[in-house]
Amino acid sequence: MDSLFPKYDVIVVGAGHAGSEAAGAAAEIGANTLLITMNLDAIAKMSCNPAIGGVAKGQLVREIDALGGLMGKVADKSGVQFRILNTSKGPAMWSPRCQSDRALYSKTMREELEKKENLHFRQDNVVDVLTTDDGKRATGVKTSTGQVFEADAVILTTGTFGNGLMHIGETNFGGGRSGERASIGISAALEDLGFEVGRLKTGTPPRIDGRSINYDKLEIQYGDEDPNAFSFMTESLPSREEQLTCWIGNTNEEVHDMLRSGFDRSPMFNGTIDSTGPRYCPSIEDKINRFSDKDSHQLFLEPEGWNTYEMYLNGFSTSLPEDVQYKALRTIPGFEDAVMLRPGYAIEYDYFPPYQIRRSMETKITEGLFFAGQINGTTGYEEAGCQGLMAGINAARKVQGKEEFILKRSEAYIGVLIDDLITKGTEEPYRMFTSRAEHRILLRQDNADLRLTELGHKIGLASDDRFEKFKTKKEAIDKIHDLFADYTVYPEKMDPMLKEQDTSTLSQPVKAKTLIPRPELSIFNLMNADPELKEKAQEITTDELVYEQVEIQIKYAGYIEKEFEMVEEMKKQEDTLIPDELNYDKISSLSSEGQQKMERIKPETLGQASRISGVTPSDISVLMVYLNN
């Protein structure tokens, strides 16, 4: 099929959070890239909560940034409030989060993408994926205007737009998100190629006029006193005083009764919606139905940006009829006079069960075709962004004739997410949690650069400036660690501070490092107690994040060492590749369920095979013997 346009190396379809990262990464690595989206004014639009990060999601954003991606940098430039969650727990659980200016985030992402010399834009609606006659290799895309764009690799990041159907009570209509039409055609084209398709659901709450709220009835929530950036390259953030505040409210039984009055007209309960929604972010009607013993649910009123009075009511996602939404909303304490700017809605959309992709995000059926984001069954900007980043990297590397770039479960939350999708699949929108990562003490948000920036620089994504800054930080960490390991502290300087911190005093001089594991002490306690130690340390660096890193490494050294030992034990299985063409039906000693599951999923490594539900340890032993013969 003839094209009016030059051939590209990579085409990215969709400019949401997955598509933005995919296009940015592919172009930065050197691929001539085309980003096609239905609306160039809605690049990286925050269709749901205007926030980035959160529990485990914050770790994903820091990993995206450490590799050289865009989300962390854009979040810092557009954030209106910054917080670290779970600080009462250990550092493996600390998770950065920022409230974002919705419009500014989208504008800033577009600006960052427009800086990429190899990236080109097209506003259009892709309706077909073009392939060779046998469907074995992607060759480009076709749009609704009849135009053909050719490429050696295609990345689909269709989000909720694939056959999107929106619901507000008994009313439903086609759409990808509020005010934007659905994308029709791609799902049918992929089914024709042999892909399995499914349906999922997500939703969003009503938006509120912030001037109509009685804030005296709500609890104020400030940002952190000393805000932390997402990007390792960010130099400064707005102070706590400059940041916007959020507010906490609660439903009550009166609110619940009002919501229940509309259940007979709810698409969730009358059979109109039969797809599965996110378990860990349910609608308000689902919450009061499933948790009928609770008489209250917490709500978070969050600003949409610096220069708007529109507010997002987190925790009140709903698809109930608009009149029920309105009446229930005005029953919430503090919301008696609330003005609803936009009603909440649910949206059903197509996804493609992720056993159909490889660890590189390339599909197994069609070479050169990559999936990223909600098309793979995930939910959340952060989960989408990291998939897009990996798809963009690997699409570019494929075109350039380079080997795949893969992150293992022991290297990154990104590796955990992709491995979970491929080996376990998902029948509901997948969300990342710290509990999903068995090596989370190694995969902390604070050490994402130590784990990944060298890899990002090696593949051409992390810039030279970023790499030099990383090396300087790493050298400082090593020097501070050595200083505390070698420096001797004495009872006369330490004991007053130790008594104040309610921990045992010294009977003799010791190395400073030996005191840091005490839970009552921080590295700064020691420095403040010994001016000479503080002076020596500050001659090396004044960066508090360096000191935090050294403290974590010393305090949790035992746990970290055990985790590394576990990783080494698993490494053999993770590195044992399984040929694509392996016919499991011919391995008679495998269990029938093991045969069926592995034939369907086609695991790429022995370690991946061992995590498939229904594959037994004896199946892995049999497979190991078979591969060694």
Side-chain angles (χ1 to χ4, degrees):
M1 194 176 294
D2 293 333
S3 173
L4 297 173
F5 306 95
K7 184 178 179 180
Y8 294 90
D9 295 324
V10 176
I11 290 175
V12 179
V13 179
H17 301 276
S20 295
E21 293 292 349
E28 185 66 29
I29 287 173
N32 190 29
T33 304
L34 175 66
L35 176 59
I36 306 180
T37 178
M38 292 194 293
N39 185 358
L40 282 171
D41 295 326
I43 288 175
K45 185 174 181 178
M46 295 174 138
S47 51
C48 198
N49 189 6
I52 293 293
V55 176
K57 292 170 174 282
Q59 280 84 334
L60 289 175
V61 180
R62 291 217 112 195
E63 290 178 352
I64 291 170
D65 179 74
L67 286 165
L70 297 172
M71 183 174 280
K73 184 192 301 185
V74 173
D76 289 343
K77 289 183 177 181
S78 59
V80 300
Q81 188 192 85
F82 296 83
R83 295 175 64 220
I84 295 286
L85 308 183
N86 286 336
T87 52
S88 63
K89 301 178 181 178
M93 305 294 286
W94 299 348
S95 301
R97 181 187 189 271
C98 84
Q99 195 67 28
S100 299
D101 183 310
R102 183 190 301 277
L104 184 57
Y105 186 96
S106 179
K107 176 178 179 289
T108 305
M109 181 63 81
R110 178 166 178 171
E111 290 171 354
E112 290 296 326
L113 291 174
E114 288 182 342
K115 294 175 185 176
K116 308 290 183 184
E117 292 183 8
N118 295 314
L119 182 56
H120 311 272
F121 299 85
R122 166 83 180 193
Q123 182 167 293
D124 213 332
N125 179 25
V126 171
V127 296
D128 198 4
V129 176
L130 304 179
T131 67
T132 52
D133 291 341
D134 58 5
K136 298 294 185 184
R137 184 174 182 86
T139 60
V141 298
K142 184 179 179 181
T143 72
S144 58
T145 60
Q147 299 306 317
V148 169
F149 295 88
E150 297 177 330
D152 291 318
V154 174
I155 305 173
L156 295 184
T157 68
T158 49
T160 59
F161 284 78
N163 287 332
L165 183 64
M166 298 170 63
H167 300 268
I168 302 175
E170 296 167 299
T171 302
N172 59 68
F173 47 92
R177 61 182 165 224
S178 180
E180 297 183 58
R181 68 186 190 276
S183 176
I184 309 297
I186 290 182
S187 293
L190 294 175
E191 282 191 275
D192 288 343
L193 291 173
F195 287 93
E196 178 190 342
V197 65
R199 294 283 278 177
L200 291 175
K201 176 193 86 75
T202 190
T204 191
R207 273 37 168 212
I208 314 298
D209 184 334
R211 300 170 300 179
S212 64
I213 304 302
N214 181 358
Y215 294 99
D216 291 339
K217 294 186 178 182
L218 304 179
E219 176 189 344
I220 195 166
Q221 185 180 56
Y222 296 103
D224 286 345
E225 187 71 49
D226 185 19
N228 281 264
F230 274 110
S231 177
F232 292 95
M233 299 297 285
T234 297
E235 297 292 339
S236 64
L237 292 173
S239 68
R240 181 177 182 173
E241 292 70 31
E242 294 171 318
Q243 296 176 33
L244 299 181
T245 55
C246 297
W247 305 84
I248 300 174
N250 291 278
T251 63
N252 54 34
E253 274 299 334
E254 189 180 357
V255 179
H256 297 182
D257 288 341
M258 184 61 69
L259 290 165
R260 290 188 188 100
S261 72
F263 278 12
D264 60 326
R265 293 188 287 151
S266 166
M268 281 190 58
F269 299 127
N270 65 17
T272 306
I273 292 177
D274 59 3
S275 51
T276 307
R279 176 185 312 208
Y280 304 103
C281 189
S283 65
I284 188 64
E285 58 263 39
D286 193 22
K287 278 193 279 192
I288 65 174
N289 183 56
R290 283 166 50 191
F291 308 109
S292 56
D293 57 318
K294 293 197 171 186
D295 56 12
S296 178
H297 292 286
Q298 198 168 58
L299 304 172
F300 297 88
L301 187 64
E302 301 169 333
E304 295 257 335
W306 293 110
N307 302 307
T308 178
Y309 51 72
E310 188 168 353
M311 306 286 278
Y312 180 95
L313 189 55
N314 197 344
F316 205 77
S317 176
T318 181
S319 59
L320 284 165
E322 187 169 350
D323 62 308
V324 177
Q325 293 186 35
Y326 184 66
K327 291 173 184 176
L329 180 68
R330 296 193 116 195
T331 313
I332 301 168
F335 290 75
E336 293 85 356
D337 298 315
V339 174
M340 188 166 71
L341 300 178
R342 317 183 202 194
Y345 62 86
I347 181 168
E348 291 183 284
Y349 56 94
D350 287 347
Y351 87 108
F352 292 82
Y355 74 86
Q356 299 170 107
I357 59 172
R358 304 181 187 278
R359 294 179 296 169
S360 64
M361 312 307 292
E362 186 177 22
T363 64
K364 296 174 181 177
I365 292 176
T366 302
E367 187 180 355
L369 178 62
F370 295 75
F371 290 170
Q374 285 172 291
I375 193 172
N376 290 327
T378 59
T379 182
Y381 311 141
E382 304 82 1
E383 288 89 345
C386 71
Q387 292 175 71
L389 185 78
M390 296 300 287
I393 291 169
N394 282 308
R397 289 177 70 82
K398 184 177 184 69
V399 169
Q400 294 166 352
K402 298 175 181 176
E403 65 179 14
E404 297 174 334
F405 178 72
I406 305 297
L407 291 173
K408 300 185 179 72
R409 295 182 72 91
S410 58
E411 292 178 311
Y413 270 84
I414 296 173
V416 174
L417 181 147
I418 294 172
D419 186 72
D420 276 356
L421 290 175
I422 295 169
T423 58
K424 300 174 183 177
T426 186
E427 295 179 353
E428 61 185 45
Y430 175 101
R431 179 180 176 179
M432 177 53 71
F433 289 100
T434 51
S435 58
R436 297 189 190 274
E438 61 271 37
H439 303 299
R440 57 185 171 273
I441 191 65
L442 302 181
L443 309 181
R444 306 182 310 276
Q445 57 86 27
D446 60 87
N447 70 353
D449 57 341
L450 300 179
R451 291 184 278 117
L452 299 174
T453 294
E454 192 166 357
L455 291 174
H457 185 257
K458 185 177 180 181
I459 62 174
L461 188 57
S463 67
D464 290 342
D465 287 346
R466 177 183 291 269
F467 189 55
E468 288 304 314
K469 185 173 181 178
F470 156 75
K471 285 198 300 182
T472 299
K473 178 182 174 181
K474 189 173 184 300
E475 288 169 6
I477 289 170
D478 292 340
K479 287 178 180 178
I480 293 293
H481 191 284
D482 290 344
L483 171 64
F484 279 79
D486 296 337
Y487 189 89
T488 301
V489 293
Y490 295 87
E492 55 267 28
K493 285 187 178 179
M494 289 293 124
D495 282 355
M497 177 272 293
L498 296 175
K499 288 177 182 177
E500 186 178 329
Q501 298 300 320
D502 198 23
T503 184
S504 58
T505 56
L506 299 180
S507 59
Q508 61 184 20
V510 296
K511 297 300 183 185
K513 179 180 175 180
T514 63
L515 292 177
I516 293 176
R518 296 190 187 187
E520 303 88 353
L521 300 183
S522 76
I523 199 168
F524 298 106
N525 292 142
L526 274 66
M527 290 167 62
N528 290 332
D530 189 329
E532 185 182 347
L533 173 61
K534 185 175 184 177
E535 183 180 351
K536 287 179 178 293
Q538 291 188 339
E539 285 175 359
I540 297 171
T541 183
T542 57
D543 186 348
E544 290 193 3
L545 294 178
V546 169
Y547 295 111
E548 178 187 274
Q549 186 62 225
V550 172
E551 182 174 324
I552 291 170
Q553 289 180 4
I554 294 173
K555 274 189 184 294
Y556 297 90
Y559 297 102
I560 292 171
E561 187 176 345
K562 286 179 182 177
E563 286 293 334
F564 276 124
E565 288 173 2
M566 288 175 59
V567 169
E568 284 303 311
E569 286 178 17
M570 296 174 62
K571 194 173 186 296
K572 187 173 181 182
Q573 283 193 353
E574 297 297 335
D575 290 344
T576 302
L577 298 177
I578 301 175
D580 284 345
E581 64 277 6
L582 183 64
N583 187 340
Y584 295 93
D585 293 335
K586 291 185 177 180
I587 309 176
S588 57
S589 299
L590 291 173
S591 66
S592 58
E593 185 179 5
Q595 283 181 332
Q596 291 169 6
K597 293 285 182 69
M598 288 191 281
E599 186 62 44
R600 181 182 190 228
I601 293 173
K602 293 284 187 184
E604 297 174 61
T605 70
L606 200 61
Q608 195 182 331
S610 70
R611 292 186 289 275
I612 297 173
S613 175
V615 173
T616 66
S618 62
D619 288 332
I620 297 301
S621 297
V622 168
L623 188 55
M624 191 182 300
V625 171
Y626 184 87
L627 293 172
N628 287 332
N629 288 337

